[in-house]
Amino acid sequence: MSKVYPVGIQNFEKIRKDDFFYIDKTALVYQLVKNGNYYFLSRPRRFGKSLLISTLEAYFEGKRELFEGLAIEKLEKDWVKRPVLHLDLNTEKYETPESIENILNDTLCQWEKIYGTEPSETSLPLRFKGIIRRANEKTGHRVAILVDEYDKPMLQAIGNEELQRSFRSTLQAFYSVIKTMDGYIKFALLTGVTKFGKISVFSALNNLMDLSMWNDYVALCGITEQELRDNFKEGIEELAKAQRMTYEETCAVLKENYDGYHFTEDSIGIYNPFSLLNTFAKRKFGNYWFETGTPTYLVELLKMHDYDLHEMAHVETDEDTLNSVDSSSTNPIPVIYQSGYLTIKEYDQRFGTYRLGFPNREVEEGFMKFLLPFYANITKVDTTFNIQKFVREIESGDYDSFFRRLQSFFADTPYELIRDLELHYQNVLFIVFKLIGFYVKAEYHTSNGRIDLVLQTNDFIYIMEFKLNGTAEEALRQINEKNYAQPFASDPRKLFKIGINFSNETRNIEQWIVE
């Protein structure tokens, strides 16, 4: 291999000293520092936020040698060594109110070894305030404050309002020091997955400039198409050779799987850097971002609010909703968007509304596979196996096996925990047919509590109509009366019209009839 890719490495100094591959983001870093003082950036997990923090840390510590050959070397004329206070909230589980105090106390103790302490500083905010002041006075330079994953405690406590309230109170008081010590601070950046707004930790930090939906900084984390073409030519060639594909075919699959993140309206697409680096390092396509774990709080939010998953594929919202997560909100979409599972697809300038959708195949397929065990009677391990079986049954015309397998998905589900049975049926069907649709052509729509579905393979066309507490005969009659088969009248493939009925009494697919 010609390059060593820094898979999972988030330390800028290590990347530079150990000669790992690095895409130069330092011109944007320089622009950031020169044009403002207080910033916030929201990006999905494993999107390069920690590396950005680490780069800024090396810059403010005046480590000029690490930036040799990079854009900032020519831009920066005064390499000043500043005191840097780097707070990383990644390392705790945050299951008790004490957990946040423990990590803040540990970090403050490390800083106090360098900058000292005063007996009067008896609370966490007072200690933080004293450290900032003494750091400035001892070095003669204003302080840089870098906070990595500021929102980790709040995210871990979603669904636990009491714990969230405790974390919010502690963090509000702690972060408010940044505003009160303005004269001692040169620069501050807080990063996280989500932006908790309204009555949350940001109410004390209203002087932060939000980079999350700012077009000038859209490429600060992640990889652009131009960066991919300019920096990964050898990697693409090696991947193409390993996969027995052409160069352009390889680029097309990379784009389908990992591109498509849009953090502002009309912006360039951004590739997921973690998935790209893994793909080039292993010379193999995979759902690498998902393999690192998807937070269960997302599923808890969807189920807590009885969310119709079909809406997720084309939800419309506005900037205020996208840009802020209210911990007491009943809308799961802002958290799902900011976590990277949905992205901006279109923007209506007239009304200021955004249409959201899945950014790429890795996210869409991975998210559906992740969701299925939470909704159906199936284990995570068996999900892929069952989808393969579904596809093979459809491709061979074995619709009876297909529906018997689908029946098993609804069997033994603890329905006493489900408030809306009809929505539950729709959500399971939506996930299953989404996953099947990655391997055969699937078109479906939901309206008035039903799913109409068309599945197409090389040899067969299936037109399905689902009823709830009706009859399979009624469903089949609707297919014929509304001429659902008309678009395929001249198609040589064998066509099946299938009426299916769900029964609330049996809580499963009761019957299917094929014509």
Side-chain angles (χ1 to χ4, degrees):
M1 284 175 60
S2 54
K3 290 177 180 173
V4 184
Y5 298 100
V7 175
I9 298 172
Q10 300 165 336
N11 183 276
F12 177 74
E13 186 165 349
K14 183 174 182 179
I15 286 172
R16 297 295 288 165
K17 282 188 172 177
D18 294 354
D19 204 25
F20 282 102
F21 174 76
Y22 175 72
I23 290 181
D24 189 356
K25 301 281 187 181
T26 61
L28 277 175
V29 167
Y30 180 81
Q31 183 179 321
L32 194 67
V33 174
K34 296 304 172 187
N35 291 343
N37 299 116
Y38 298 96
Y39 295 103
F40 167 74
L41 176 66
S42 161
R43 284 292 181 267
R45 64 190 173 83
R46 295 194 174 270
F47 230 83
K49 299 187 298 295
S50 295
L51 177 57
L52 172 63
I53 290 277
S54 179
T55 307
L56 281 160
E57 185 171 21
Y59 168 74
F60 283 119
E61 287 177 346
K63 296 181 177 178
R64 185 175 187 170
E65 71 282 2
L66 298 178
F67 295 88
E68 285 179 11
L70 300 180
I72 203 169
E73 183 186 26
K74 293 178 181 175
L75 295 169
E76 183 57 80
K77 303 294 183 253
D78 308 308
W79 288 86
V80 176
K81 183 179 180 181
R82 296 185 178 278
V84 177
L85 302 178
H86 179 182
L87 172 62
D88 185 351
L89 294 182
N90 263 312
T91 52
E92 266 280 4
K93 276 196 168 182
Y94 301 110
E95 294 172 338
T96 65
E98 295 74 36
S99 55
I100 184 67
E101 292 171 10
N102 291 340
I103 198 163
L104 291 177
N105 177 59
D106 180 65
T107 306
L108 290 170
C109 285
Q110 299 303 314
W111 294 340
E112 283 166 344
K113 285 179 185 175
I114 304 168
Y115 302 113
T117 183
E118 294 288 342
S120 60
E121 294 164 4
T122 53
S123 68
L124 296 170
L126 282 176
R127 290 167 65 192
F128 188 28
K129 189 176 178 182
I131 289 164
I132 293 171
R133 181 174 51 79
R134 285 188 297 277
N136 173 234
E137 289 171 352
K138 283 192 171 187
T139 63
H141 294 290
R142 284 178 294 155
V143 178
I145 297 173
L146 306 171
V147 183
D148 202 1
E149 303 294 357
Y150 93 97
D151 57 342
K152 181 89 178 283
M154 306 291 289
L155 280 174
Q156 296 286 88
I158 277 184
N160 185 336
E161 187 53 42
E162 188 180 342
L163 193 56
Q164 276 227 340
R165 200 161 35 242
S166 173
F167 288 158
R168 187 163 57 233
S169 174
T170 301
L171 290 172
Q172 248 181 357
F174 192 80
Y175 291 139
S176 68
V177 172
I178 296 173
K179 189 174 181 182
T180 62
M181 296 299 285
D182 179 45
Y184 297 87
I185 297 170
K186 166 68 177 173
F187 181 92
L189 171 66
L190 282 76
T191 69
V193 171
T194 55
K195 181 177 179 180
F196 283 91
K198 295 186 181 175
I199 56 169
S200 194
V201 294
F202 275 107
S203 59
L205 269 177
N206 55 12
N207 58 334
L208 290 178
M209 295 175 77
D210 190 356
L211 301 167
S212 310
M213 296 182 75
W214 192 344
N215 223 12
D216 290 359
Y217 296 102
V218 75
L220 198 53
C221 293
I223 295 168
T224 67
E225 181 75 32
Q226 193 65 51
E227 286 171 333
L228 177 73
R229 297 282 182 162
D230 291 347
N231 294 274
F232 289 96
K233 186 174 185 295
E234 293 166 59
I236 295 169
E237 287 170 349
E238 290 167 357
L239 177 62
K241 185 178 178 183
Q243 295 300 315
R244 297 180 177 85
M245 297 164 71
T246 67
Y247 188 91
E248 288 305 324
E249 283 171 347
T250 305
C251 288
V253 177
L254 287 169
K255 192 172 189 65
E256 180 192 8
N257 279 281
Y258 310 124
D259 189 19
Y261 289 91
H262 297 272
F263 300 110
T264 70
E265 63 271 16
D266 305 321
S267 80
I268 53 173
I270 301 291
Y271 284 79
N272 183 318
F274 184 79
S275 293
L276 267 190
L277 292 174
N278 270 281
T279 301
F280 289 129
K282 296 170 185 175
R283 298 189 294 285
K284 182 181 178 183
F285 298 104
N287 290 346
Y288 298 110
W289 191 60
F290 266 88
E291 287 169 7
T292 63
T294 300
T296 54
Y297 66 73
L298 292 175
V299 182
E300 287 161 11
L301 274 175
L302 291 168
K303 298 192 84 171
M304 189 192 312
H305 303 307
D306 285 329
Y307 193 78
D308 182 349
L309 295 176
H310 186 267
E311 296 297 315
M312 191 185 293
H314 48 76
V315 67
E316 289 196 1
T317 187
D318 60 20
E319 185 170 338
D320 286 344
T321 306
L322 280 189
N323 221 0
S324 178
V325 176
D326 176 8
S327 58
S328 60
S329 173
T330 57
N331 184 1
I333 290 303
V335 179
I336 293 167
Y337 163 75
Q338 291 181 19
S339 299
Y341 299 91
L342 292 175
T343 196
I344 296 167
K345 289 292 188 180
E346 290 176 14
Y347 177 66
D348 187 324
Q349 191 169 8
R350 184 183 175 197
F351 298 105
T353 56
Y354 296 87
R355 185 178 69 80
L356 306 182
F358 297 105
N360 51 49
R361 175 166 177 159
E362 180 190 17
V363 173
E364 187 171 12
E365 186 176 6
F367 197 43
M368 291 298 130
K369 282 182 179 176
F370 172 73
L371 286 178
L372 191 56
F374 291 93
Y375 283 85
N377 178 33
I378 183 173
T379 66
K380 182 180 176 182
V381 174
D382 289 336
T383 296
T384 301
F385 173 76
N386 274 278
I387 296 303
Q388 286 175 1
K389 287 281 192 180
F390 274 133
V391 171
R392 286 177 181 142
E393 286 155 3
I394 289 166
E395 288 177 339
S396 65
D398 187 2
Y399 49 78
D400 280 329
S401 294
F402 175 89
F403 283 108
R404 281 195 295 272
R405 184 177 306 282
L406 195 55
Q407 275 181 322
S408 72
F409 276 41
F410 294 97
D412 303 320
T413 304
Y415 286 98
E416 65 276 5
L417 302 177
I418 297 167
R419 287 175 295 210
D420 188 335
L421 270 177
E422 188 172 345
L423 181 61
H424 178 72
Y425 298 145
Q426 283 185 206
N427 281 341
V428 173
L429 291 174
F430 175 78
I431 297 169
V432 169
F433 292 129
K434 263 284 186 192
L435 288 169
I436 290 171
F438 286 108
Y439 305 96
V440 302
K441 189 176 180 184
E443 300 167 12
Y444 48 87
H445 65 272
T446 62
S447 58
N448 302 324
R450 70 175 190 275
I451 289 189
D452 307 318
L453 178 78
V454 178
L455 290 177
Q456 299 180 57
T457 72
N458 290 337
D459 302 313
F460 303 104
I461 298 169
Y462 301 83
I463 297 173
M464 301 183 193
E465 174 68 24
F466 292 84
K467 290 289 182 188
L468 176 65
N469 291 328
T471 66
E473 288 85 357
E474 283 173 26
L476 187 59
R477 189 160 57 246
Q478 183 170 321
I479 292 173
N480 287 320
E481 286 175 356
K482 297 202 173 182
N483 291 317
Y484 290 164
Q486 184 64 38
F488 307 101
S490 60
D491 198 298
R493 290 174 291 181
K494 185 170 182 179
L495 187 141
F496 295 107
K497 292 182 277 188
I498 307 175
I500 306 108
N501 185 57
F502 273 97
S503 165
N504 265 354
E505 192 176 329
T506 63
R507 294 173 171 176
N508 210 320
I509 295 173
E510 181 186 51
Q511 186 189 16
W512 59 89
I513 296 179
V514 183
E515 186 180 286

